[in-house]
Amino acid sequence: MGVVCPPAARPQALAPAKVIPAPQTSATDPFCAPGTVNTNRVQPAGTRRMIERLARLRSEADPSQMAFMMNAEAAEILRQALSHTSSPQEAMRLHMMLAAHLLRSGQNEKALQQFTQLEKNVAQFGLKFTPQERIQLNIDKAMCHLRIGEQENCLTNHTTESCLLPIREAGIHRLTRGSRGAVQALTEHLRAFPDDLRGRWLLNIAHMTLGEYPDQVPPPWLIPPSVFAAEYDIKRFPDVAGAVGLDVNGLAGGSITEDFDGDGYLDVMTSDQGWNGQLRLFRNNADGTFSDRTVHAGLMGLTGGLNILQTDYNNDGFPDVLVLRGAWLGPAGCMPNSLLKNNRDGTFEDVTEAAGMLSFHPTQTAAWLDYNGDGWLDVFIGNESWLDDRELHPCELYHNNGDGTFTECARELGVAVQQEIKGVAAGDFNNDGRPDLYLSNRDGLNYLLRNDGPMDTGNPAKTKWKFTNVAVQAGVAEPIHSFPTAFFDYNNDGWEDILVCGYAIKDVSDVAADYLGLSQPGERPRLYRNNGDGSFTDATASARLYKIIHAMGLNYGDLDNDGWLDFYAGTGNPDLDTLIPNRMFRNAGGKFFQEVTTSGGFGHIQKGHGISFADLDNDGDQDVHAVMGGAFTGDTYRHALFRNPGHGHHWITLKLEGRTSNRAAIGARIRVTVATPDGEQVVHKTVSTGASFGASPLRQEIGLGQATAIRQVEIHWPTTGQTQVFNGLAMDRIYKIREGQEQAVVWELKSFVLPDGNGHHKHAHAQTPVLDGASQ
């Protein structure tokens, strides 16, 4: 829409593409067996052009202008500048920056040496640190030690308990030099600055990694174990990623759990925002393991992407993928997204350019919706406009033309928002049959874009549609600093509620203060209960969610199959010292939420990003897949898969197929009525991939609690507005339901056992940890 990329990121004419071998496919196994690569076949032209385009943008990026992803290169530039300066004050500034970039790049020993040398130089030249500079230097030195301990233990000697707060048992470090150095550095720091909550929080974590918490933490600085206590015992969900072959090591990225080849078993796709972070596909072998099919799927070379989500944009019955790139990078974030068409043979093709969706804006969030009810899925992309940008980046809405192409129409529909949009969710909040949009804004009021339909109701096919921002009058415009968001019916009343997480803290001390019950200025989430009249009530406090969660990733599901939607928040920010737990909340009957982070073993202190809830072993309960890893090049971590231990409740899984409505059935509403010992219970669910950061399967996995029988299943289809009613469905079954077809069909799929994942992970990995002196 007339936006020009900054010169450093502006794409240039592409040279003829290199021929890159792609896999041969097989009729019997669309993902192919390992090693069956036919070098005579090449990746499609669209894929090759995107690979070269991404490579060119990487080569043009200026490390000195990037806070993330090129820290080793930035360190070298600073090293050269330091060698040419004669000003002690300038040398002090450059030295501090050099050490910080070395730390961020994973070169922790070298960073520690630079911080130590900096202290000597400051003393030699008679300079002084300000109190704030001294505090930051102390914390950075402690982080060097903590990161050394993390690399030698949590990465190189990774266990299923690594980095789970409160750290204990197999999570305790076997190699202790890093944590010992951190304890010493933080103890000295707290003697000088005894009220520094950031140092106090990190000291407790350092003692945890040594198995000395809480007994050996000095009483004045102890964070008591009681603040981490769970409010409900959800039972332990062990991390089995290593045992099943999913514990890839990487930076921040997205998660999709979906059946990409139509065999009934949910596969996993992940992204990695790093310059060379490879998009990966793992096929579910239906035996408790996954196989890496990245090469065979034609994905090699498609890199970057902080978030990914699936859809079926061409209504062929096979899920396609949208890769979102450029978030947080400012001018360097003018990166193209990728629309990957599923070729139905186990391979994917980048059709971004051919589909008319090639643009260059920073983003990490989008939502698929059929905004005009024509049976074809459109996509809204929330772009980031920063106050110091040379150009603004309006949000985009691509209308699906039904022939494999899209037309961008955000401005004419009134949704070309120019804000720092961090999350987008689609849902029909007023139950008028038209999907609406909720946009979270990191620096201002949020947007609730009500879909008002065609301006000429007499001729909807040939008139413009209109959206109106009603966030303020609906009461859902806060928090001012927002990140992930979701439409979800947490109280099962048939009206979509809104959850949006706050995202603003001074540093980790705000989170520590919140755990300790102290006042602090951090931004809290909002849970908005739908009143059914176009307005919402702020239920955050009554739902017991008035906490500093500081979430980036977010998704929801039903952990214990009781029929009430729970949610998991992936927490953190780029700062290495923001070591805070990812947090899980159980829905207590639609009344309030109970924190189950520690009882379930979900309290990862690594940066949490893409999250998906999915029944990966077809046993009826949802497991949780989470992509961990930060933004700085050295802040990598292994992905997690939390296996559901089971809770003895009934369930039903429904795979809907639209015919007049979009084939993926996105936007279809499900109402399940069950008989229970306490009377009838109704469970509501809307077909979507969930919240704004992470993508759960489009087939709907629905908990039925202590039901004794299913009375009725109702499906309300989005395009026709018709409702189908099914009686006599059995519990604990998987069904296929086609729009307009009278009978639901049982889908006979085998279940299998995911391994326990106890102990250390000892198999080889596709990626290795970033060790001292190396860069990702």
Side-chain angles (χ1 to χ4, degrees):
M1 296 294 290
V3 177
V4 180
C5 290
R10 187 180 296 125
Q12 300 175 359
L14 296 176
K18 259 197 264 183
V19 174
I20 302 174
Q24 182 182 19
T25 58
S26 161
T28 56
D29 178 4
F31 285 94
C32 301
T36 59
V37 177
N38 179 356
T39 56
N40 293 321
R41 180 175 176 179
V42 299
Q43 288 173 299
T47 302
R48 287 182 277 130
R49 283 197 297 271
M50 182 59 74
I51 290 170
E52 293 203 352
R53 185 176 289 113
L54 294 171
R56 181 165 291 113
L57 291 171
R58 288 195 297 269
S59 70
E60 293 171 352
D62 182 355
S64 66
Q65 299 300 312
M66 296 185 64
F68 314 122
M69 298 202 300
M70 300 188 78
N71 301 111
E73 294 86 348
E76 186 55 36
I77 292 172
L78 289 164
R79 195 189 308 276
Q80 295 295 323
L82 185 60
S83 68
H84 291 93
T85 186
S86 57
S87 164
Q89 289 82 3
E90 177 66 3
M92 176 180 171
R93 185 184 71 84
L94 292 172
H95 215 140
M96 181 74 88
M97 293 172 62
L98 168 61
H101 275 289
L102 289 170
L103 173 59
R104 292 166 181 172
S105 68
Q107 302 179 72
N108 304 306
E109 301 273 13
K110 293 180 180 179
L112 188 57
Q113 293 169 7
Q114 290 294 334
F115 282 125
T116 303
Q117 185 62 46
L118 172 62
E119 290 179 297
K120 293 178 181 178
N121 292 349
V122 167
Q124 177 183 344
F125 287 106
L127 302 174
K128 289 186 178 180
F129 293 106
T130 66
Q132 191 55 45
E133 288 172 338
R134 181 76 254 183
I135 290 174
Q136 187 60 55
L137 179 61
N138 291 350
I139 295 297
D140 284 340
K141 288 173 63 180
M143 285 309 305
C144 289
H145 291 291
L146 283 172
R147 298 286 295 172
I148 289 169
E150 179 185 312
Q151 287 180 340
E152 293 181 341
N153 295 274
C154 309
L155 287 170
T156 305
N157 294 294
H158 182 68
T159 79
T160 59
E161 299 285 337
S162 292
C163 294
L164 294 181
L165 196 76
I167 299 166
R168 59 187 184 185
E169 299 174 356
I172 295 171
H173 291 185
R174 295 190 297 174
L175 303 177
T176 62
R177 71 178 182 117
S179 294
R180 287 286 173 216
V183 167
Q184 180 179 345
L186 290 165
T187 300
E188 293 174 0
H189 168 69
L190 286 167
R191 286 173 181 154
F193 302 95
D195 297 327
D196 181 41
L197 263 180
R198 183 163 51 152
R200 179 179 172 185
W201 177 267
L202 294 174
L203 178 65
N204 280 260
I205 289 178
H207 276 292
M208 286 181 194
T209 64
L210 294 167
E212 299 173 352
Y213 174 87
D215 297 340
Q216 296 186 46
V217 181
W221 302 323
L222 176 66
I223 305 240
S226 59
V227 305
F228 304 119
E231 297 169 330
Y232 178 89
D233 185 5
I234 197 69
K235 299 201 292 188
R236 193 78 170 181
F237 284 61
D239 176 8
V240 301
V244 304
L246 288 177
D247 64 333
V248 174
N249 185 59
L251 295 175
S255 163
I256 299 174
T257 45
E258 186 58 83
D259 178 10
F260 284 108
D261 59 349
D263 66 354
Y265 303 96
L266 295 174
D267 313 302
V268 176
M269 186 178 284
T270 64
S271 66
D272 180 327
Q273 78 163 127
W275 261 179
N276 298 305
Q278 176 62 51
L279 185 70
R280 293 183 179 274
L281 175 64
F282 297 89
R283 188 197 186 205
N284 190 331
N285 298 322
D287 62 0
T289 67
F290 290 78
S291 296
D292 191 330
R293 289 294 187 265
T294 304
V295 172
H296 308 283
L299 300 175
M300 285 303 295
L302 290 173
T303 57
L306 186 53
N307 197 8
I308 50 178
L309 64 159
Q310 79 276 32
T311 187
D312 182 2
Y313 78 91
N314 54 4
N315 282 342
D316 67 353
F318 281 76
D320 313 295
V321 174
L322 180 64
V323 182
L324 300 162
R325 299 187 176 99
W328 297 107
L329 299 181
C334 281
M335 304 287 289
N337 300 320
S338 281
L339 178 63
L340 304 180
K341 179 170 72 73
N342 189 329
N343 292 324
R344 303 190 295 176
D345 61 0
T347 68
F348 290 82
E349 177 181 358
D350 192 309
V351 296
T352 314
E353 196 169 359
M357 289 182 62
L358 183 64
S359 67
F360 297 83
H361 304 286
T363 184
Q364 64 174 39
T365 187
W368 291 90
L369 71 162
D370 181 5
Y371 79 85
N372 61 348
D374 64 357
W376 297 91
L377 288 166
D378 317 296
V379 62
F380 181 93
I381 299 175
N383 292 320
E384 295 180 348
S385 291
W386 295 44
L387 293 178
D388 56 354
D389 274 354
R390 284 172 281 181
E391 284 95 14
L392 297 176
H393 301 281
C395 295
E396 300 164 280
L397 177 59
Y398 286 94
H399 170 258
N400 192 328
N401 299 321
D403 59 1
T405 68
F406 293 79
T407 299
E408 209 287 310
C409 58
R411 195 171 302 279
E412 65 183 72
L413 270 65
V415 296
V417 174
Q418 295 182 162
Q419 296 286 340
E420 193 179 339
I421 301 304
K422 300 304 296 181
V424 177
D428 183 4
F429 81 91
N430 53 5
N431 282 351
D432 66 354
R434 295 188 292 264
D436 313 294
L437 290 163
Y438 187 78
L439 281 57
S440 69
N441 183 3
R442 187 167 169 260
D443 192 22
L445 297 176
N446 298 329
Y447 290 72
L448 178 60
L449 299 174
R450 186 185 64 207
N451 187 339
D452 293 330
M455 297 174 69
D456 180 0
T457 56
N459 191 7
K462 295 185 178 181
T463 187
K464 293 180 180 179
W465 282 54
K466 180 185 177 184
F467 285 78
T468 302
N469 180 21
V470 296
V472 173
Q473 49 265 53
V476 296
E478 294 184 349
I480 298 299
H481 305 287
S482 303
F483 201 156
T485 186
F487 277 110
F488 78 134
D489 185 2
Y490 82 92
N491 58 355
N492 270 330
D493 65 353
W495 295 86
E496 297 279 14
D497 310 299
I498 296 173
L499 174 65
V500 55
C501 291
Y503 198 71
I505 58 172
K506 178 182 68 175
D507 53 44
V508 74
S509 64
D510 283 352
V511 179
D514 194 54
Y515 269 104
L516 292 167
L518 305 175
S519 63
Q520 41 65 45
E523 191 73 89
R524 301 173 188 270
R526 301 292 190 278
L527 177 67
Y528 292 115
R529 185 176 66 243
N530 195 325
N531 296 325
D533 60 1
S535 70
F536 292 77
T537 296
D538 187 343
T540 313
S542 61
R544 304 181 187 176
L545 291 177
Y546 196 64
K547 306 171 184 285
I548 302 298
I549 298 176
H550 203 56
M552 299 180 292
L554 178 72
N555 221 326
Y556 57 82
D558 188 351
L559 292 175
D560 53 1
N561 274 347
D562 65 351
W564 302 94
L565 292 173
D566 318 302
F567 72 90
Y568 189 38
T571 64
N573 61 25
D575 292 341
L576 296 176
D577 54 54
T578 309
L579 296 175
I580 59 177
N582 293 266
R583 298 171 77 169
M584 183 72 83
F585 294 89
R586 174 185 181 265
N587 189 334
K591 299 179 178 64
F592 56 86
F593 287 83
Q594 299 163 311
E595 179 142 4
V596 294
T597 300
T598 52
S599 67
F602 298 110
H604 230 295
I605 60 173
Q606 295 293 331
K607 310 298 191 297
H609 287 88
I611 292 168
S612 53
F613 285 69
D615 181 9
L616 290 172
D617 48 6
N618 284 344
D619 65 352
D621 50 40
Q622 291 186 306
D623 313 293
V624 182
H625 182 259
V627 172
M628 307 289 177
F632 297 130
T633 50
D635 196 11
T636 64
Y637 205 74
R638 301 191 187 284
H639 302 175
L641 174 62
F642 299 105
R643 179 179 61 80
N644 197 316
H647 296 81
H649 290 155
H650 292 293
W651 54 274
I652 188 171
T653 296
L654 302 175
K655 185 183 188 315
L656 305 188
E657 181 181 316
R659 304 305 288 178
T660 303
S661 302
N662 70 86
R663 191 155 178 181
I666 288 175
R669 300 204 307 269
I670 301 169
R671 187 178 192 269
V672 182
T673 305
V674 297
T676 78
D678 298 319
E680 279 193 352
Q681 178 182 349
V682 176
V683 179
H684 291 270
K685 196 81 183 292
T686 300
V687 177
S688 78
T689 59
S692 65
F693 207 145
S696 299
L698 288 168
R699 73 190 192 194
Q700 298 301 296
E701 300 156 349
I702 302 170
L704 303 178
Q706 298 181 357
T708 56
I710 297 175
R711 291 273 175 85
Q712 195 173 75
V713 172
E714 300 169 61
I715 311 295
H716 183 83
W717 295 97
T719 293
T720 64
Q722 295 180 351
T723 299
Q724 284 182 266
V725 178
F726 299 89
N727 297 304
L729 301 190
M731 297 186 295
D732 307 332
R733 292 287 183 89
I734 304 174
Y735 287 93
K736 289 183 176 182
I737 294 178
R738 177 177 290 183
E739 184 177 13
Q741 185 172 296
E742 292 185 0
Q743 298 297 321
V745 178
V746 175
W747 197 3
E748 296 287 358
L749 297 172
K750 72 173 182 178
S751 62
F752 48 91
V753 177
L754 293 175
D756 288 336
N758 292 326
H760 290 260
H761 296 174
K762 298 182 179 179
H763 62 275
H765 298 282
Q767 289 178 275
T768 55
V770 177
L771 299 178
D772 195 49
S775 62
Q776 180 86 344

